[in-house]
Structures are given as structure tokens and as C-alpha cells.
Amino acid sequence: MRTARVRAPELRGRGWLNTGGKDLTLADLRGKVTIVDFWTFCCINCLHVLDELRPLEEEFGDVLVVVGVHSPKFEHERDPDALAAAVERYGVAHPVLDDPDLQMWQQYAAKAWPTLSVIDPEGYVVASMAGEGHAEGLARLITELIETHEAKGTLHRGSGPYVPPAEPETALRFPGKAVALEGGGFLVTDSARHSVVELAADGETVVRRIGSGTRGRADGASAESSFSEPQGLCLLPRQTAEIAGYDLVVADTVNHLLRGVRLATGEVLTVAGTGRQWRSTVDNHPHDAVSIDLSSPWDVAWYDDRVIIAMAGIHQLWWFDPVKRTAGVYAGTTVEALRDGPLPDVWMAQPSGLSASADGRRLWVADSETSALRYVEDGALHTAVGQGLFDFGHVDGPAAEALLQHPLGVCALPDGSALVADTYNGAVRRFDPTADAVSTVADGLGEPSDVVLGPEGEVLVVESSAHRLTRLAPGALSAAGARTVTGQRHRTERPPTELAAGEVTLEIVFTPAPGQKLDDTFGPSTRLEVSASPPELLVEGAGSTTELTRRLVINPAVSAGVLQVVAQAATCDADVEHAACHLTRQDWGVPVRVTDAGTGRLPLILRGLDA
């Protein structure tokens, strides 16, 4: 659906990256097709969009400019140095505007991460879309705009404003996860250099590199193989490794694959995933591992006689059997939220770290977007620390009151406690289940993304933004070594939508991408799930239906809260033989304020080209 053209608001913020020090204006972009990408670097959906935009930037490089507008969720993401590190870490090859106070977010009426706005060569906003999966529709729109504005003489071909930064020389660049080797030494994923590195027992000396060091997905010998931003590592039990034919499983995150590595030779092979990102419906059946799509596997661990996968991209845990060569869903429904209970019907939010207890009974989970430490035991998911999607901070003490900030890693200790790589607090925290309490054992670290226990009981931290492994001081884990921090409590504060008490119409606006149509071959083509925090905000309207319009009743006794909305739509290619199927999905956490002047209608754009 197209509407009247609207002038694009001027781009203003705290500063620019990837421009060689120049502040850009819309006048500098006149004559180009511009995509404004509202993102935040904690958000896995935003990282998916970065990867979707890369081919478009390459194909339309002389007419297309992508501008990333970084509008943060977490307090740590407001730090300009942290943003600069993230831009390098994720290979962002376009200008980025720092929008710490979400001014541009408000000007462009964004309501979800990620949101894309398309500006034509004359400076008008011609399309807006939330979520991921828009590459095909964008390519068609860009082609249309090129034809229109070339004919009008308003299209200017040539190089864009991107200026690549210099790459510093370090042995590692944004390492992700690590495992200890039995004979001493460590394996670590060198994520920004797309490889796996073996380090000597000192945690510093490079013994060898597995992978070419350039972004790719090639199998084969060590020097010829390639990864794309790999993260988690899991050493298989010896007997399993002998049957499977490889020793190490690597979560090849951006490739949406699991890779196997034969450590004796360094040979790499694909063991799970097709390389396509998962866009399907949830089922609980086993699948042939190399025939099923995955979505940003972030960590892997051996538990329950299988490899468990932290499937960050769809807020689930999956399992992979390297002997049977099958894979399937282990926990989670793909709803992004915090809900405990029996597996698999639980809710998670971007699980990013896994570690099994020494006795094999408990699997610890770092659930990053809820800033939570959770665990699986006896077929159920429990929360040890964490309060929800929008509450975070650095607070120690009783677990019910403690707060983390976007943790990415966890390490089970022999005494039953767990160390947490509390990434955005720059700290390592310890949860003691006996005392049911949290303490800080180290801080001042550079975005710690994993914690690993060495063969002699030593503890090493993967300091991702410091590009190194750091050994914790002896005694740091003792009662005397730990300390209690009473830091700030934070809550994500985005501009709220003012709603009227009583009846409100929630309308999900969905327009299939050009060349697609709704697909009801396997049942209803759309689904809508609504919940609220606090639950009392909604008198009526919570739950799941197949309609994209819902009557809500807002409680006048609750002044504010968050509406959690999950919508999806199934489409297929229209008027073609062997039509491909697509599933579009978006999660919104909409802050609302209940006022007499509030609106009785809440429209959200799931997909399409709606200005």
C-alpha cells in the first residue's frame, strides 16, 4: 500500500561513524536511493537485516546508500565506544548515525527493532517496514525507483559516502566463545576474522588458525575452509566423535549452520543446516540435520546426550544428534519473552550462552534479551535471575532482586554455582544456588562474551571488545574475592504510545511483498498473539487468533505497561510454477501509557511498502 509522499526528516544525532569524520545531511544523499536502517546492536533481528542488506549494497552500489541509525535499547549501547566496536564487529560497511536519545526513532515513527525507511532520490519517504525478510521486496522497489528517477533525471550514479575505518592489528578480533582442550590450551572463535583459533595453555600464543579468515561457508582443508562470524564451540564426547567422524561442533552463526571440525587435520565440514535462515512453522519432529534451516545458532553444549543449540535468531533451544544426524526443537515457541514451565512450551529471548553442570543434570542458559540466567532441569525451564525484556542493571544480592545486563555467556562450576559473562555490565557475576544470591567476581572487562574453566581449575574470560582471553585472579571466586554491587536499575524507556482506556482496535497491517500472495495451503495464513506486562493491563484481548485485527480492552486502573505482540503471515510466490513459500514474523514490545486523550486504534506494520 502506497500513500502520499512525505519529506524525510533531516538526519541528526550525536555523531557519525564510517564517514571519515564528516556529518552527513539529506542533501548529501540527494540523487541516491537511501535505506535508513533503525537498529540496535543487541538485537538479533537487526543483525539479520545487516546481512540481508549486504547483497543489495553490492548489487546497487552506485545508486544505493544505506544509513544505519543506531537507536539503543540497553544502557551499554548508548556508549559511543561500544557502538564503534559493534560497527566493526559486525562488518557494517555503511555510514552509521548515533541516535542515543531515539530522536530519529521518533521522527521516523519507528515502533520496533529493526525498522527500515526508504527515501527516494528527491528526498521523500516512499516506504517503511518493520522486521526482517525484506530483501526481495526492497530489490524490486529499488529497481523501480532507479527506472523512475533515471527517466526524470533525478538519479545520480557514483560512489557513496562510506569511508572504511582502518583495522587494528591484534591476534584476535572480537573473539566469541572458547573451550578448553584436554591436553592444555584453548579453542576460541575469532568471530570478526571468521575463523577458529587454537591458543596455547597461556591463553595468548596462537598455535594455529582453522579457516581462511575471510567471510564464507566453504568446507574442506583448514586453510581453504571459511566461516561467517562463528560463535559457540562444543567438544564431542570421545565415543561420539569417533562415530561422527569429527571432534568439534562450531556454531557458524551468520551462515545459519553447524560445522564439524576434525582437530587432527583442521578439516571443516557442514553437519547441520542448509545455509538458509529458518522461516517456517514450529514443529517437534526430528529432521535430517543438513536439510533443515537454522537461525543464528549462537552457542552449543553437550547435554541430554545431544548437542543443544542456543538458537538466538528464533528464541529457542534446538537439539542436534551427531550420530543419527538429525535435529529438532528442544525448547521454546519462538515467542520472545520470559516464561518458565515444562519443555517445550516456554518463552525465551535470544538465548546466547550454554553450559552443562558437571553431573549433567542441569543446563545453564544465558538468555540475553531478558537479561536473565535460566536453566533446564528435569524437563522444565526455570529462571534463576532476571525479570523480563525491559528490566536490567548491575545489582547483586538476593536472586529475586538481582539484575544483569544482556549476558552472552555462562560457565557451570563444579560446586553447582554458575559464572555469568554479564556482557553489557563488563563483569563476571556468580550465582550461588545454595544462597540463591548473585555477586560480582570481576568487573571493568571489555564486553565479556564467555567464561571457560581450564584443565587446572583456572577461570578465563573471553573479553570480546578487548580482543583477548583474560585469566581471573586466584581467589576471585571465593567468598572473600567476590563483592556485592548495588548499582543502578534500568528499564528500557521508549516513547510510549498513548492509548485510551476501554476498547482499542489492534490492527496488524500486512502487505505481501511484490510478486507474493497469502498462502493458506497448510491452514490459516496469519496468526496473532498478544500478551501484556503487567498482565492486568489487558482486561480482554490476550491470547492467540488467526485474525490480524483484534479488539483489546485496556484496564483504566493500570496507567502504563507494555503490549507484547507477535504476528506472522505465510505467503508464496504468485503465478509461478514451483512457487517458493515464505513466513514473515515480527515481535513488538509496545510501551503504552493509558490516558484520556489516548487513541482507540493501534496500527502496526508487519510487512510491505507502507509509507
Side-chain angles (χ1 to χ4, degrees):
M1 181 178 73
R2 300 292 176 83
T3 61
R5 296 198 305 171
V6 176
R7 276 284 180 188
E10 186 56 80
L11 297 172
R12 296 186 177 92
R14 180 166 58 182
W16 287 86
L17 293 87
N18 287 351
T19 63
K22 180 180 179 180
D23 290 345
L24 296 182
T25 66
L26 287 177
D28 298 318
L29 306 177
R30 194 64 56 84
K32 304 285 189 184
V33 178
T34 302
I35 297 176
V36 180
D37 173 22
F38 290 89
W39 70 300
T40 185
F41 64 76
C42 72
C43 167
I44 191 66
N45 309 93
C46 298
L47 302 186
H48 290 165
V49 167
L50 289 178
D51 296 315
E52 292 172 356
L53 292 175
R54 292 185 212 279
L56 297 178
E57 292 178 276
E58 184 175 341
E59 180 180 358
F60 301 104
D62 64 336
V63 295
L64 174 66
V65 174
V66 175
V67 173
V69 176
H70 187 264
S71 304
K73 171 186 175 181
F74 287 101
E75 187 68 20
H76 175 70
E77 293 174 298
R78 293 169 56 90
D79 182 341
D81 292 333
L83 172 57
V87 167
E88 181 192 348
R89 177 198 305 268
Y90 298 119
V92 180
H94 52 248
V96 174
L97 176 63
D98 186 1
D99 180 33
D101 298 319
L102 279 69
Q103 293 179 350
M104 287 295 93
W105 171 282
Q106 296 178 65
Q107 288 286 310
Y108 280 80
K111 293 187 183 300
W113 290 287
T115 291
L116 300 172
S117 292
V118 181
I119 304 173
D120 73 9
E122 295 179 286
Y124 290 94
V125 176
V126 295
S128 180
M129 56 206 76
E132 52 183 285
H134 302 299
E136 181 181 348
L138 283 169
R140 295 183 185 184
L141 175 60
I142 294 166
T143 299
E144 177 185 314
L145 290 171
I146 290 171
E147 293 173 355
T148 299
H149 288 275
E150 204 149 43
K152 292 175 66 174
T154 51
L155 185 75
H156 301 158
R157 294 184 180 272
S159 59
Y162 170 63
V163 179
E167 182 180 335
E169 289 295 327
T170 54
L172 301 174
R173 205 72 197 158
F174 297 105
K177 305 287 186 181
V179 292
L181 294 169
E182 285 185 8
F186 301 88
L187 293 169
V188 57
T189 45
D190 197 9
S191 298
R193 294 205 177 115
H194 315 294
S195 55
V196 176
V197 174
E198 182 178 346
L199 299 177
D202 61 6
E204 299 178 7
T205 305
V206 175
V207 176
R208 61 170 169 166
R209 184 177 294 272
I210 299 171
S212 63
T214 57
R215 189 188 297 270
R217 52 166 295 185
D219 288 343
S222 178
E224 285 75 43
S225 61
S226 53
F227 302 87
S228 186
E229 298 179 30
Q231 287 287 337
L233 299 169
C234 175
L235 288 166
L236 296 178
R238 186 168 300 170
Q239 184 177 3
T240 303
E242 290 174 356
I243 298 171
Y246 52 89
D247 313 279
L248 178 74
V249 176
V250 181
D252 193 6
T253 305
V254 173
N255 278 329
H256 310 296
L257 298 172
L258 296 186
R259 314 293 291 281
V261 178
R262 297 179 176 125
L263 292 180
T265 63
E267 183 182 358
V268 176
L269 59 155
T270 297
V271 298
T274 63
R276 296 184 301 267
Q277 184 182 340
W278 183 93
R279 298 188 189 281
S280 186
T281 54
V282 177
D283 66 55
N284 297 315
H285 306 299
H287 295 268
D288 176 59
V290 294
S291 299
I292 192 168
D293 301 340
L294 309 181
S295 183
S296 297
W298 206 276
D299 203 3
V300 279
W302 186 260
Y303 176 75
D304 198 11
D305 293 324
R306 294 174 283 186
V307 174
I308 304 299
I309 311 163
M311 202 73 79
I314 46 177
H315 318 299
Q316 292 180 304
L317 302 182
W318 281 35
W319 58 265
F320 164 62
D321 188 325
V323 175
K324 295 181 180 178
R325 302 178 184 179
T326 51
V329 174
Y330 189 72
T333 66
T334 76
V335 172
E336 183 182 15
L338 192 155
R339 184 177 77 180
D340 294 337
L343 305 184
D345 297 323
V346 295
W347 295 347
M348 289 175 282
Q350 211 168 302
S352 301
L354 302 172
S355 183
S357 61
D359 60 9
R361 291 191 58 204
R362 177 173 289 188
L363 178 70
W364 294 101
V365 182
D367 201 31
S368 63
E369 279 294 289
T370 53
S371 296
L373 174 64
R374 309 175 77 180
Y375 63 92
V376 174
E377 189 171 49
D378 297 330
L381 180 67
H382 311 265
T383 298
V385 184
Q387 299 175 21
L389 276 169
F390 305 103
D391 296 280
F392 57 92
H394 191 161
V395 178
D396 288 329
E401 302 172 11
L403 292 172
L404 310 170
Q405 186 179 181
H406 198 77
L408 291 178
V410 60
C411 176
L413 294 179
D415 65 359
S417 64
L419 294 178
V420 180
D422 191 9
T423 309
Y424 286 2
N425 280 326
V428 174
R429 315 281 291 282
R430 179 172 178 262
F431 170 67
D432 181 349
T434 302
D436 196 27
V438 177
S439 59
T440 297
V441 300
D443 56 11
L445 302 170
E447 293 190 356
S449 56
D450 201 13
V451 183
V452 60
L453 198 63
E456 303 300 322
E458 70 274 29
V459 176
L460 283 83
V461 182
V462 180
E463 280 195 88
S464 190
S465 67
H467 318 294
R468 66 191 180 196
L469 269 63
T470 300
R471 201 174 299 263
L472 289 188
L477 304 184
S478 67
R483 61 194 184 90
T484 299
V485 172
T486 306
Q488 288 186 304
R489 295 176 177 269
H490 298 284
R491 183 172 177 83
T492 299
E493 298 292 348
R494 286 176 286 154
T497 297
E498 294 192 351
L499 295 181
E503 291 192 10
V504 170
T505 299
L506 170 64
E507 181 184 7
I508 306 300
V509 181
F510 177 76
T511 304
Q516 295 180 16
K517 63 181 180 180
L518 286 169
D519 179 19
D520 57 6
T521 305
F522 301 103
S525 58
T526 57
R527 181 173 179 270
L528 175 63
E529 183 164 348
V530 180
S531 59
S533 177
E536 295 77 18
L537 176 65
L538 276 180
V539 178
E540 295 180 30
S544 298
T545 63
T546 59
E547 300 295 326
L548 291 184
T549 299
R550 176 84 58 86
R551 173 183 173 271
L552 309 179
V553 177
I554 304 297
N555 189 344
V558 178
S559 61
V562 176
L563 282 178
Q564 294 160 325
V565 180
V566 182
Q568 68 181 41
T571 59
C572 65
D573 294 341
D575 303 322
V576 296
E577 190 176 3
H578 308 301
C581 297
H582 314 272
L583 186 75
T584 301
R585 179 186 176 86
Q586 175 64 24
D587 296 354
W588 293 269
V590 183
V592 300
R593 180 183 297 129
V594 182
T595 68
D596 292 338
T599 180
R601 179 173 174 266
L602 177 60
L604 298 172
I605 299 173
L606 173 61
R607 184 173 183 163
L609 304 178
D610 301 282

